[in-house]
Amino acid sequence: MKYMDEFRDPATAKKLVEEIKRLAPIARGQRDMPLQIMEFCGGHTHTLFKYGIESMLPADIEMVHGPGCPVCVLPMARVDDCVAIAEQPGVIFTTFGDAMRVPGTRKSLLQAKADGCDVRMVYSPMDALAIARKNPERDIVFFALGFETTMPSTALTLLQAHREGLKNFSLFCNHITTPATMRAILTDPDLRLDGFLAPGHVSMVIGAHPYDFVTRDYHKPLVITGFEPLDILQALWMLVKQFAEGRCEVENQYARIVPEAGNVAGLKAIAEVYETREHSEFRGLGNIGDAGIQIREAYAAYDAERKFKLQAAASTHDPEHLKCADVLRGVMKPWECPAFAKTCNPQNPLGALMVSPEGSCAAYYAYGKLAKRKETA
C-alpha cells in the first residue's frame, strides 16, 4: 500500500469483516460472554467509532476501551502541581494543548492562564527550548507528558539544553510506561480481558518484545496495530485467528512502522535521561510500580520537580458522581456515567476523558454514541 485511501478501501474492509464474523464463533468457543478485546490507545478508539468499525463486529466480540492517553490517566494532584509551578514568579509554563483544560482540584492550566499565569501552548519540547533561549531571565518549564511515544523528544530536548548550558529550562516529568500500565490492567479483578490491540506509535519506540509478558505470564494474545480502518480490522482478524487456532502470541500488524527492536536511538536517549519511579499514582489505576518516569540525578538541574521543591502530593479523586476511573479501566461505558453528555461535555469537560481528544468519552460524544445511553436510561 502506498496511499491513504488504500488503508480505507471498502472492499478490503468487507472481506476482513466477513472473515472476522466467520472466525468469531469458533474463537469464542464455550465462553459465557463475548470475547473481551481491549484497544489500549485512544487513537484506536476514535478509529473504531469514526469509521463505524465497532458496529460491523459480530456479537461474539466486545471492544473494551482502555486508558486512552496519558492525559486521561493524569491524577488531579499532578495538575495541581502544574498550576503551582505556573504560579511561581518568573515562570513560563509550556504544555501541549490537550493538557490545558484538564481539571485539578483548584483549577486547570487554562484557568491559571486566565488568572494571569504565563502558560503557553507549544507543539514540541523544542518550542519550549526556543522560548528559554529568548528569555534567559525567566524559568521555562515544559510539561513532559506521554507514554513512550513522546519520551525520546523530551529526553533529546533535555540533552540539547544540557549541551547549551540552558539552566533556565526544565521538564516537569509525567511520562508513563505502557507495559507497566498494561500489567496493572491485567491484574484488575473487575476486568475479564481476552486480548489486546497494542498502540502502534508507542511500539514504534519500544518495539514488540516489551509485550512478551502479556502472552507469557497472562496468556492473552496481543496484536500491535496502526490507526487506519484496515489496520484495526486486520489486527482484529489476526487476534480472532489466534483464538480460533488456540495460539497466544505477540504479533505485529504495523510492521511497516514498528521494528521488532524499537527505535534504538530513541531508547538510548530515554535510558540516559530517565529512570522509573518506585511508585506512581494514576487516575483510575491507583499506585503502580515502575510505571511512572523521573529524571535521573545526573540531570537534576533540569528537573522542575526538584527545582521548585514540590512536595509529594496527597492522593486525589474525581468527584463521586463522575465515573472517570471506571470508564478508564474499561469496566464501564461512557454513557453509563450519569454526567456524560449532560453536565460533562467537550464545552464543559469535568473529567480528563472528555478533555482529551483521545479519551473514550470524547470519542463517544463526537461520534454520536449517545443512543444506547438513552435507551437504557
Side-chain angles (χ1 to χ4, degrees), residues 53-306:
I53 293 172
E54 194 175 40
S55 64
M56 301 177 194
L57 298 178
D60 298 298
I61 297 173
E62 181 177 351
M63 299 306 299
V64 179
H65 315 308
C69 71
V71 169
C72 299
V73 299
L74 186 69
M76 297 177 77
R78 295 301 273 182
V79 179
D80 292 342
D81 288 339
C82 290
V83 171
I85 294 172
E87 290 174 338
Q88 296 295 314
V91 166
I92 299 175
F93 194 92
T94 61
T95 179
F96 293 136
D98 58 354
M100 292 279 282
R101 296 197 301 157
V102 180
T105 59
R106 294 193 298 125
K107 62 179 76 172
S108 66
L109 281 168
L110 191 63
Q111 291 167 324
K113 180 178 177 67
D115 290 341
C117 296
D118 195 344
V119 178
R120 305 185 190 184
M121 186 184 78
V122 294
Y123 293 97
S124 83
M126 291 301 288
D127 290 345
L129 194 62
I131 294 171
R133 294 189 190 105
K134 292 177 182 177
N135 298 271
E137 76 288 353
R138 304 281 298 274
D139 278 315
I140 314 304
V141 180
F142 178 72
F143 188 18
L145 179 65
F147 288 108
E148 291 90 343
T149 315
T150 55
M151 284 187 205
S153 63
T154 57
L156 290 166
T157 302
L158 185 151
L159 291 171
Q160 182 64 31
H162 181 64
R163 281 191 291 270
E164 295 181 27
L166 290 173
K167 298 298 185 182
N168 67 324
F169 175 83
S170 61
L171 300 177
F172 182 42
C173 185
N174 285 267
H175 285 304
I176 310 163
T177 61
T178 300
T181 307
M182 276 191 171
R183 190 181 292 276
I185 290 169
L186 284 162
T187 56
D188 189 329
D190 294 327
L191 281 174
R192 291 175 59 187
L193 295 177
D194 294 299
F196 281 96
L197 297 184
H201 45 18
V202 165
S203 306
M204 175 184 67
V205 176
I206 67 174
H209 297 301
Y211 301 114
D212 287 345
F213 78 95
V214 177
T215 57
R216 183 189 64 242
D217 300 341
Y218 296 94
H219 311 292
K220 312 292 184 186
L222 178 148
V223 178
I224 298 164
T225 185
F227 300 90
E228 290 298 321
L230 292 189
D231 286 327
I232 300 290
L233 284 171
Q234 185 182 19
L236 284 170
W237 169 72
M238 292 168 69
L239 205 54
V240 172
K241 195 166 184 284
Q242 283 200 50
F243 288 122
E245 295 176 354
R247 294 185 290 115
C248 183
E249 302 171 10
V250 174
E251 292 187 306
N252 184 7
Q253 181 276 335
Y254 207 31
R256 67 182 187 274
I257 298 294
V258 177
E260 288 294 308
N263 184 314
V264 176
L267 291 170
K268 181 180 178 182
I270 290 170
E272 181 175 351
V273 172
Y274 298 126
E275 62 187 3
T276 56
R277 299 176 189 263
E278 187 176 353
H279 290 285
S280 298
E281 182 190 5
F282 298 104
R283 187 187 300 250
L285 301 173
N287 284 294
I288 307 176
D290 296 327
I293 296 294
Q294 63 187 7
I295 296 170
R296 291 185 182 276
E297 182 66 34
Y299 296 103
Y302 303 94
D303 185 353
E305 206 158 347
R306 290 179 172 104

Side-chain angles (χ1 to χ4, degrees), residues 283-285 318 322-331 353:
R283 187 187 300 250
L285 301 173
D318 292 303
L322 298 180
K323 304 302 180 184
C324 303
D326 291 333
V327 174
L328 186 148
R329 289 161 49 230
V331 300
L353 291 165

